[in-house]
Every structure is written in structure tokens, then in C-alpha cells.
Amino acid sequence: MKILKKNQISGLRKDLSIYIHIPFCEKICPYCDFNKYSKVDQLIPDFTQSLIKEIRWNSEEFNNSKIVSISLGGGTPSYINNEDLKSVFDSIKNNYYLDDKFEFSIEINPADLDDSKLELYEEIGINRVSVGGQSFDNKILKRLGRNHDSEKLIKSLELLSSSYIDNINLDLIFGVPSQTLIQWEHSLKMFLNFSFPHLSAYLLTFEPKTKFYKDLNQKRIFEPEENEIIDMFNLTLEILNNNDYYQYEISNWAKKGRESIHNLRYWNSENYLGFGPGSSSLINGKRMKNISSLKKYIQLSKNKVSPDGLYSEISTISEEEKMIEYIMLNLRLNKGIEHNDFNQKFNKIFIFKFKEILKELNNNFLVESNSESTFLTNKGKLLSDYIFSKFTEEISL
Ligand code: SF4
């Protein structure tokens, strides 16, 4: 394995992250708007070969970079078999330089985890696992259309707890139709029992093209009331703060020093390569997006001989887009927008450029500013889409 040793030539190499999109799921959850497929297992071998080709093609340009994080997402990366996953990892290991401390994370579904998977994860160096648990309440899990129940979730978390991996994240969802505060509190407290270093607590959103969105419009399900959402959010703050987790991003909580390296790099707009259908890459301000269709992705990779053949979009991010993205990504983070950093990056004074918006948002207790930075208040975190739209309007004028 080409692993860099400290004080080797690593200083000459640029840091790079890799995201690998594995779009298969056992069944489709009604709230999910990711690029995912179920009941197409016969395509997995061809997909794996396409992915390996894409990984190799890109290595010609990026084999001088230093890979500081790899994230396997989806879909459900834990759904594919060990041989396929191993061959994908081998293609990275054999074609790129891996930093000796790279973060290697995988998203797993509780229904998939067993000893043999864990053995493989250890063998290939996976050092962070993110579990799509979503809830410890069986009624909520059923409503979310998950293929696991609370018992299965607890078993998989116990298995992880007794394994070599100590960097574990759990995903939980709140704001589910007819979810009660007590159900949410139960899930948060169950999470605490495991003493994991990281929690992602997402507010459910009803995205167009999902079954939940359709059901909502046809009044088959109902969004929780605003005050119920606020209560759940405040309870999350209270329970997690009291247990030494800090909220470093709108939906992400960690013990100090246990933040996700890969996600932080993404939120800080650092360079990353995305492999797999629908994945995006960001390299020095240029964004490339792969074709989303799984079948077309496989077909194209059979015929083409370079990564460009898989792109459905290539764009150089304009100054305006860069500013919008910078503001959105940084406001999501606890530290918020550091005025000096903004001023240097965009050659504009943040507090003057957005004077009117900041006044309105400050007056409504949605953001707070001091001499160094501007960041979301707790109320602002719940209304972040509105806040982002205000900045976007101003920048696009
Ligand atoms: S398992 Fe995850 S990726 Fe798959 S459908 Fe459900 S939420 Fe979406």
C-alpha cells in the first residue's frame, strides 16, 4: 500500500478527499431524495467494475494528491458484498497516495451489519462508521419505511461497541409526522447509552419527488406543528449540551475533537473527488457532476476511456455562486462566518455588504454578530433556509 510516511514528500502533495456513491438499497424509504435504487442487485457487479474504472481514470490526474479522507455513502454502502467492497478499496489503495491518518468512513444500515462485514471493514482500514438508525421507536421506524426495527438497531450498535471501531456516528431523525416529544426524547436517551462520540440529528424535510411529499400534498400525512418542532429541537440542545456534545454544524453534534473530518472538508469547500452515479467533484473551484442514471453510468463507462465521459455537468463556479455557497456552508457551522476570512476571500467587507440583512436578522434574533463573526442563533438554526434565501437574494441582485 502506498502510504505516506511523515516527513516524506507529503508537503508537496495537495490534500484531497474522495466520496464514493454506492446507490443500492434493500428498499426505498418514502422520505428519501438521494440517488438510490432497489431491486436491481443484478447490476451490482457491472456497477463495481464501472466504479473501479472511474477510480483508475481519475488517478492519472490525482495520483500526486494526498488522500486525507474517504467516505462511502449512498444509497447503502453496507448493502454490497464484501468482495465488491474490497475490490473498490483495492483500486483506491493501488492508485492513490493515502495519508497515514486518513479518515475512512462508511454509512451502514443496521439490517446489514454482521461479523464478516466488520472483519472486512477492519481489514481495509475503515475507522469511522455512521449508522442510519433514525429512531429507537418501532412506530416511527415503520412510518419512515425502514427495514430495521429498534431491536435490530440496538443489536448492531452493540456489535459495533464491542468491535475495534470507536469512531461511531448515529443518524436520528426528528419532525416525523405524528412523532411525539416523548418518542424523540427516548431516541436521544438511547443514543446516550452507547457513549458514541458523534450524533447527526436531522429535521425531516419533505422533498419534492418523494412519497412523503406526495402524501403531504394529498393530506395523507401531516407535518408536525411548528411549536412541536421547536420543542424537539430545544430538547436536543438541552440533552446533548448536558452530556458534553457540542453542535458544530446545524445537524451535527460531537464530543470535542471527534468531528467528521470528511464533512468539515466538504463544508469548507476543500477539494474532493466524487465517484459513482450522481456524485459531484469540486476541484479548485470547478464542479463536475456525474450522470445520475445508474444504467447510463454503467453503459458510458463501458465505452468511454476518461472521467469526462461520465459528467452530465461541468461548471466553473462564479464569484456570486462562490459567495452564496461560502455563506450557506459557513452559517451551517457553529463558528459561523468569520468576517476577516470573508473580507479577504471576496475583497468586500462582510458587515457593510450585508448591512440591511444583518440588521433585520439580528432584530429577529435569527443571527448574532460580534466584531469577529456572524453566526446563527438557535432560532436561526431552525429557520436556516429562510436566512440563506435572504443572502442569496441580496447577492443575486
Ligand atoms: S436506506 Fe438511506 S439511501 Fe436508501 S432509501 Fe432509505 S434513506 Fe434513502
Side-chain angles (χ1 to χ4, degrees):
M1 191 193 296
K2 290 183 228 166
I3 291 189
L4 281 179
K5 297 280 173 272
K6 274 202 188 92
N7 304 325
Q8 246 183 318
I9 50 176
S10 59
L12 301 172
R13 298 179 184 278
K14 287 193 176 158
D15 289 358
L16 181 68
S17 292
I18 289 179
Y19 170 73
I20 298 176
H21 190 77
I22 298 182
F24 304 97
C25 296
E26 190 191 316
K27 64 184 279 217
I28 302 299
C29 307
Y31 59 92
C32 177
D33 77 332
F34 298 147
N35 189 30
K36 76 285 168 190
Y37 299 83
S38 74
K39 307 199 185 339
V40 288
D41 291 7
Q42 73 282 5
L43 295 178
I44 295 179
D46 277 354
F47 160 79
T48 306
Q49 289 316 309
S50 301
L51 196 56
I52 290 171
K53 270 190 189 177
E54 192 191 2
I55 289 169
R56 283 201 197 122
W57 287 336
N58 276 279
S59 73
E60 287 171 22
E61 189 177 342
F62 295 100
N63 61 4
N64 263 332
S65 299
K66 179 176 60 164
I67 306 303
V68 292
S69 68
I70 302 173
S71 171
L72 301 167
T76 312
S78 56
Y79 186 66
I80 65 169
N81 69 40
N82 282 358
E83 290 69 36
D84 288 333
L85 186 58
K86 171 116 175 39
S87 59
V88 170
F89 175 68
D90 284 345
S91 68
I92 294 181
K93 174 181 86 174
N94 295 331
N95 291 287
Y96 295 82
Y97 275 101
L98 304 178
D99 185 28
D100 54 1
K101 282 194 186 139
F102 75 107
E103 180 184 89
F104 188 7
S105 62
I106 185 168
E107 291 171 12
I108 66 154
N109 187 320
D112 297 331
L113 196 67
D114 59 24
D115 286 328
S116 81
K117 292 231 150 112
L118 271 171
E119 272 166 31
L120 176 78
Y121 297 168
E122 184 168 13
E123 184 192 328
I124 64 178
I126 285 177
N127 50 29
R128 185 173 192 272
V129 170
S130 183
V131 185
Q134 318 311 352
S135 175
F136 286 91
D137 185 284
N138 281 335
K139 279 192 191 142
I140 297 296
L141 287 168
K142 203 166 171 207
R143 192 155 309 127
L144 289 170
R146 302 295 304 191
N147 63 349
H148 67 271
D149 59 14
S150 177
E151 199 188 342
K152 180 77 215 166
L153 172 59
I154 291 169
K155 276 203 178 124
S156 70
L157 297 180
E158 284 171 350
L159 191 58
L160 279 172
S161 296
S162 60
S163 77
Y164 74 98
I165 293 179
D166 75 338
N167 200 358
I168 300 166
N169 168 63
L170 178 66
D171 285 352
L172 292 177
I173 296 184
F174 68 102
V176 180
S178 62
Q179 184 180 28
T180 64
L181 190 62
I182 291 174
Q183 285 169 324
W184 177 235
E185 183 177 14
H186 172 65
S187 284
L188 288 171
K189 291 198 166 157
M190 285 298 291
F191 161 75
L192 293 180
N193 287 339
F194 289 94
S195 305
F196 295 149
H198 198 286
L199 174 75
S200 298
Y202 296 105
L203 171 62
L204 181 72
T205 52
F206 296 81
E207 301 294 337
K209 295 191 188 153
T210 62
K211 182 170 184 312
F212 264 16
Y213 186 81
K214 206 168 145 199
D215 288 350
L216 192 68
N217 282 330
Q218 295 179 350
K219 302 201 183 320
R220 283 201 289 261
I221 56 171
F222 298 91
E223 273 186 275
E225 298 292 331
E226 198 180 302
N227 64 317
E228 292 175 309
I229 300 277
I230 292 172
D231 287 348
M232 287 187 203
F233 182 72
N234 287 338
L235 183 72
T236 313
L237 292 175
E238 186 190 317
I239 290 182
L240 294 175
N241 281 332
N242 286 343
N243 285 278
D244 296 328
Y245 291 90
Y246 90 104
Q247 188 181 22
Y248 69 103
E249 196 266 351
I250 288 184
S251 308
N252 285 282
W253 299 76
K255 297 273 183 186
K256 276 266 180 292
R258 308 304 295 272
E259 303 85 359
S260 157
I261 293 170
H262 187 87
N263 289 349
L264 276 174
R265 281 182 52 79
Y266 172 77
W267 292 320
N268 286 319
S269 300
E270 312 272 10
N271 284 350
Y272 59 86
L273 285 175
F275 301 136
S279 64
S280 293
S281 302
L282 179 72
I283 301 294
N284 302 331
K286 195 169 153 194
R287 194 180 298 287
M288 289 75 71
K289 187 172 186 303
N290 274 355
I291 188 129
S292 294
S293 155
L294 173 62
K295 280 195 175 156
K296 281 193 185 146
Y297 172 81
I298 292 172
Q299 209 174 23
L300 282 172
S301 73
K302 278 187 179 154
N303 308 330
K304 309 282 173 178
V305 286
S306 79
D308 306 21
L310 298 175
Y311 299 150
S312 61
E313 288 168 42
I314 304 180
S315 54
T316 303
I317 303 173
S318 69
E319 270 308 286
E320 279 182 1
E321 288 166 334
K322 238 184 240 168
M323 195 183 285
I324 291 170
E325 199 171 288
Y326 177 93
I327 288 177
M328 284 172 56
L329 291 174
N330 280 279
L331 278 181
R332 288 190 68 89
L333 296 172
N334 218 31
K335 68 179 174 66
I337 293 166
E338 290 164 348
H339 299 158
N340 275 343
D341 188 56
F342 178 93
N343 302 348
Q344 276 168 17
K345 275 205 167 77
F346 297 101
N347 210 15
K348 289 192 167 51
I349 310 288
F350 180 77
I351 51 169
F352 292 149
K353 173 147 182 71
F354 298 106
K355 196 172 162 204
E356 292 307 317
I357 296 177
L358 289 173
K359 199 166 142 195
E360 183 204 318
L361 296 176
N362 269 301
N363 286 344
N364 288 311
F365 307 105
L366 294 173
V367 301
E368 235 176 274
S369 296
N370 57 35
S371 58
E372 286 168 8
S373 61
T374 293
F375 46 91
L376 298 182
T377 59
N378 286 337
K379 187 179 169 195
K381 283 172 186 161
L382 278 171
L383 294 169
S384 56
D385 283 349
Y386 167 76
I387 296 167
F388 298 156
S389 72
K390 296 295 286 181
F391 281 102
T392 305
E393 271 169 30
E394 171 72 22
I395 294 167
S396 312
L397 274 180

